[in-house]
Amino acid sequence: MLSPADTAQSLFSGMSHKAKMPIVSVIFLSIMAGGSIAMGDIFWAHSTVGVAKASSPGIANFIGGVAFSVGLMMVVFFGGHLFTSSLMTGVSTIDHKLTFSKMIAYWVIVWIFNFIGAAVVAYMYYRSQLPLKYDGEILHHFLVLGVGKNSLSFEAAFIRGIFCNVFVCMAVWAATGASDAAGKVLSILFIIAAFVGSGYEHVVANMFIFTEALLAKAHYLHEVGGTIQALSEHMNISVEKLEALSFTKIFPNNLLPVTLGNIVGGLFFVGVIGFMSHKTDMKK
């Protein structure tokens, strides 16, 4: 395993290289990363269905966290561009190796195409009818989950985003320092399981969850005859919360504060602190 300084050197050199890749490569690898996280979400949903009721929420959270970690493993091993971990490219900007405009452009491209990848997988997943297994419990859960995330206060979503990306970027840091595939898998598995099991907010995972929640909303609206009032009574969710679950409102309500929180957690609490702490040894 690499020393912390060598890990920092390897990680930040790699991040700088990724930001300078041809735009076509960035786009495709960003779509792949968004889709991978979405598939981790699907594995999480299928692994935890009914567990909380049959056992306990804690066990369900742990199992779901382990299952979701597969998504980040796919990103790391394939070299995908994931918004949350790619935020550490900001260290290259601080070190004057990447311009500020290039960094922002890279972040925006990765964010957008992560969303596209996550949304495409969400639609394909819905069309596969897999969310309707177990008497539709999974599809119902995505609707309830989307409503819950969309109802968070700005402050709560922002802070949860900070905590989330400390874990995600530490998982990428640990995987970078591991010398073999088994070490990388274990590094990602337990750190990501901690973030998911604790209930923090990951903007790319939420891109998938909200898309699936909107598909679920449309599905159940059709079932009850197309009125929000009927859907509210059927799902036992207030009309206001169901109306707020829309593409125009999920960004300001959740994706914006979570994105900002992810930036603070990943770039500053892991990237900048790690870089500044090991900068002297990195130069040596």
Side-chain angles (χ1 to χ4, degrees), residues 73 77 175 178-188:
M73 291 179 200
F77 285 117
S179 58
D180 55 26
K184 293 180 187 296
V185 166
L186 290 173
S187 298
I188 294 170

Side-chain angles (χ1 to χ4, degrees), residues 84-126:
T84 44
S85 58
S86 295
L87 290 168
M88 288 190 287
T89 54
V91 171
S92 298
T93 299
I94 293 170
D95 201 31
H96 306 294
K97 294 179 180 178
L98 186 70
T99 65
F100 181 78
S101 60
K102 178 70 174 178
M103 178 196 76
I104 294 297
Y106 174 67
W107 286 4
V108 170
I109 291 169
V110 172
W111 195 97
I112 290 171
F113 286 97
N114 278 176
F115 204 151
I116 291 173
V120 168
V121 170
Y123 180 72
M124 292 173 66
Y125 174 57
Y126 173 73

Side-chain angles (χ1 to χ4, degrees), residues 197-266:
S198 299
Y200 301 134
E201 296 287 310
H202 187 282
V203 68
V204 182
N206 286 0
M207 293 169 180
F208 168 81
I209 290 168
F210 279 122
T211 304
E212 202 63 39
L214 289 167
L215 290 167
K217 178 182 174 181
H219 176 90
Y220 289 118
L221 268 173
H222 177 74
E223 279 197 347
V224 300
T227 66
I228 287 289
Q229 184 62 47
L231 180 60
S232 173
E233 294 172 2
H234 178 68
M235 304 298 293
N236 196 28
I237 300 172
S238 71
V239 171
E240 293 75 20
K241 288 183 177 180
L242 286 170
E243 288 179 337
L245 186 65
S246 65
F247 269 118
T248 58
K249 294 182 179 179
I250 60 174
F251 179 76
N253 289 353
N254 182 276
L255 296 182
L256 175 59
V258 172
T259 296
L260 295 175
N262 287 168
I263 291 171
V264 173

Side-chain angles (χ1 to χ4, degrees), residues 6-23:
D6 288 339
T7 300
Q9 182 68 63
S10 177
L11 179 64
F12 297 134
S13 295
M15 287 292 172
S16 179
H17 169 73
K18 290 178 76 171
K20 296 174 182 177
M21 289 177 69
I23 189 169

